[in-house]
Amino acid sequence: MEVKVLGAARQVGRSAFLVTHKDSKILLDYGAMTTKVPGFPMHVPPKDIKAIVLSHAHLDHSGAAPLHFLGGTMKLHATPVTSELSNILIQDFIKISGQYLPFEFLDLMAMNSNTVNHGYMEPFQVGDFNISFYDAGHIPGSAVVAVEAGNKRILYTGDINGEETNLLAGSWKNLGEADMVITESTYATADHPHRSKAEGEFVDFAREVVERGGVLLVPAFSVGRAQEIAMTLVKSGFRHPIAMDGMALKVNGILLRYQEYLKDGAALRRMLETIEEVTSWTQRRRLTRKPGVIVSPAGMLVGGASIFYNEHLSMDEKNGIAIVSFQVPGTPGRTLIDKGLTIYRGKPTPVKAEVRRFDFSSHSGKSALLSDLKGIGGSPKFLTVHGEEASCLALADQLHSDLGVEATAAMPGQDFTV
Ligand SMILES: [Zn+2]
């Protein structure tokens, strides 16, 4: 089999790989760079490709996929949760960035009608390839993809989290043997603080803010993080009001239908019974005046209702803002944590609310990632991708020195053979 790296490799964004065996070709992910003007992977002639196989729904893995389906014969293979989540994320992408995208709703509809769903460990055939999904523990429906052809086996981690969270059980540990592993490297150089520490500190901060009469805004991604944050509060016995807004509510509906993809469906249902769902502007205005927690996309304050809440809450020192995910440079969320500035009435203004950061990552830290990768049998060669350049290089070095195998921080356009 041959693997060509089509997207960003020593970088996060627009993940895409072309896998070829004899006359069969498939794409593993075809993501977008979700910068203000989005970026895309290298072009491949769609008539040669049999299918796109998606590791998970995040736009940096799925966002350019609709390009290929209108009028063609290509199929999309994914877990059912990934299909539904990528559909709503791409709809939102078209709404926000439509003028920059080389596709539209019609293309997305063509993709949806050519989608074939598969559960974890339900192997399926595409041309010469035998393909299986294993739980990657990253977001609901996320998969490590195993591709077999001609007696060779490639594992593609997509994004992976080896450790359990409130929402997910962590990645599947028995990935078998492989000849090549394409691995993400997002947090390959550092370990996260212990999850219970991050959870404890976050819940303490939420209590502190609400008990001094303030409102805590938690800008959170709609897929996974918003649910994880609310579930963390509910599990801790938090007695104050928790509200959730925006696309996270749509995601809740999808997760309710696919509870078998979660660690504990009952914990999700308990959370949903506890929170207030926000659907109107009257409700939003009322919530900004009443002590409690508001969980709302967008996670980096770039859009959605979190902008409204930020405008109404950030100029009062009794309120709080909890940043619970990585903030991309250049986003309002990043400016808030780096410079303490927020956009208020159209101008960058020093924030008065208390801003704190908490590590709720959905990617394995260094030790968990190495332990998952070292658990793979067959002395595979490794391609390290999907991380800052330093992370990809460090992970490749570490794998080479610990395991004595070939390990490369792959570059876009490079070809590899197994
Ligand atoms: Zn992801």
Side-chain angles (χ1 to χ4, degrees), residues 56 58 60-61 138 159:
H56 66 292
H58 279 151
D60 56 331
H61 296 257
H138 169 60
D159 290 350

Side-chain angles (χ1 to χ4, degrees), residues 213-402:
V215 180
L216 177 67
L217 170 62
V218 190
F221 297 123
S222 55
V223 175
R225 194 60 47 86
Q227 293 78 21
E228 178 70 20
I229 290 299
M231 286 165 80
T232 299
L233 288 169
V234 170
K235 184 183 79 171
S236 76
F238 191 73
R239 302 223 168 267
H240 307 288
I242 307 165
M244 193 183 286
D245 201 341
M247 209 161 70
L249 303 180
K250 268 195 201 169
V251 174
N252 292 346
I254 294 173
L255 300 189
L256 261 183
R257 283 188 282 114
Y258 293 106
Q259 292 176 40
E260 68 274 25
Y261 283 81
L262 308 177
K263 185 174 84 175
D264 178 4
L268 176 82
R269 296 196 301 276
R270 266 195 304 281
M271 179 275 278
L272 294 177
E273 284 158 15
T274 310
I275 60 162
E276 175 181 349
E277 299 196 346
V278 187
T279 52
S280 75
W281 287 103
T282 321
Q283 231 177 329
R284 281 180 195 118
R285 278 188 287 272
R286 174 175 54 76
L287 286 167
T288 60
R289 297 191 291 265
K290 187 183 89 170
V293 176
I294 303 169
V295 181
S296 175
M300 301 187 212
L301 293 167
V302 291
S306 67
I307 292 183
F308 165 84
Y309 292 121
N310 183 52
E311 177 95 22
H312 282 77
L313 298 172
S314 58
M315 290 301 135
D316 185 339
E317 57 277 342
K318 72 176 182 302
N319 295 331
I321 301 174
I323 299 294
V324 292
S325 61
F326 176 74
Q327 304 291 305
V328 170
T331 59
R334 182 63 173 254
T335 309
L336 184 65
I337 51 178
D338 283 355
K339 300 184 178 155
L341 293 175
T342 194
I343 302 296
Y344 180 69
R345 296 188 173 157
K347 283 197 208 117
T349 310
V351 65
K352 290 187 183 152
E354 187 178 357
V355 180
R356 297 263 299 269
R357 290 164 77 175
F358 302 92
D359 187 337
F360 278 87
S361 179
S362 57
H363 293 264
S364 288
K366 181 181 177 179
S367 312
L369 183 61
L370 279 170
S371 135
D372 266 7
L373 295 175
K374 288 178 183 176
I376 297 169
S379 301
K381 64 168 87 167
F382 288 90
L383 305 188
T384 62
V385 297
H386 195 289
E388 298 298 321
E389 183 161 39
S391 293
C392 294
L393 290 168
L395 182 59
D397 277 355
Q398 181 98 43
L399 288 164
H400 176 67
S401 62
D402 289 2

Side-chain angles (χ1 to χ4, degrees), residues 71-268:
T73 56
M74 205 188 290
K75 298 286 178 206
L76 184 99
H77 296 271
T79 64
V81 193
T82 294
S83 303
E84 294 209 27
L85 292 176
S86 49
N87 179 39
I88 61 166
L89 290 176
I90 295 170
Q91 275 185 34
D92 194 55
F93 192 30
I94 294 173
K95 243 184 262 165
I96 292 168
S97 304
Q99 72 270 34
Y100 301 113
L101 300 181
F103 57 83
E104 52 183 305
F105 279 110
L106 274 181
D107 300 85
L108 177 60
M109 284 163 66
M111 178 175 111
N112 289 339
S113 55
N114 282 290
T115 294
V116 190
N117 291 325
H118 311 272
Y120 293 136
M121 295 187 280
E122 291 173 6
F124 56 97
Q125 200 74 27
V126 177
D128 291 338
F129 300 107
N130 190 277
I131 301 169
S132 304
F133 292 139
Y134 299 90
D135 193 346
H138 169 60
I139 57 167
S142 63
V144 173
V145 184
V147 181
E148 292 172 43
N151 289 325
K152 300 287 181 186
R153 187 166 188 259
I154 295 173
L155 285 170
Y156 169 46
T157 65
D159 290 350
I160 190 166
N161 190 4
E163 294 181 87
E164 67 174 332
T165 62
N166 289 311
L167 190 61
L168 300 172
S171 58
W172 182 253
K173 298 302 171 201
N174 186 9
L175 293 169
E177 297 194 344
D179 300 283
M180 179 191 279
V181 178
I182 307 168
T183 175
E184 68 130 311
S185 319
T186 321
Y187 289 99
T189 55
D191 277 319
H192 302 298
H194 200 275
R195 192 71 171 200
S196 59
K197 183 167 177 272
E199 289 183 4
E201 287 172 357
F202 169 72
V203 172
D204 287 348
F205 180 54
R207 278 203 187 103
E208 219 175 284
V209 169
V210 176
E211 285 169 10
R212 70 182 179 222
V215 180
L216 177 67
L217 170 62
V218 190
F221 297 123
S222 55
V223 175
R225 194 60 47 86
Q227 293 78 21
E228 178 70 20
I229 290 299
M231 286 165 80
T232 299
L233 288 169
V234 170
K235 184 183 79 171
S236 76
F238 191 73
R239 302 223 168 267
H240 307 288
I242 307 165
M244 193 183 286
D245 201 341
M247 209 161 70
L249 303 180
K250 268 195 201 169
V251 174
N252 292 346
I254 294 173
L255 300 189
L256 261 183
R257 283 188 282 114
Y258 293 106
Q259 292 176 40
E260 68 274 25
Y261 283 81
L262 308 177
K263 185 174 84 175
D264 178 4
L268 176 82

Side-chain angles (χ1 to χ4, degrees), residues 4-7 14 16 30 40-44 412-414:
K4 188 179 193 70
V5 181
L6 300 176
R14 54 176 161 167
Y30 206 69
F40 300 97
M42 290 161 67
H43 178 68
V44 280
Q414 260 187 310

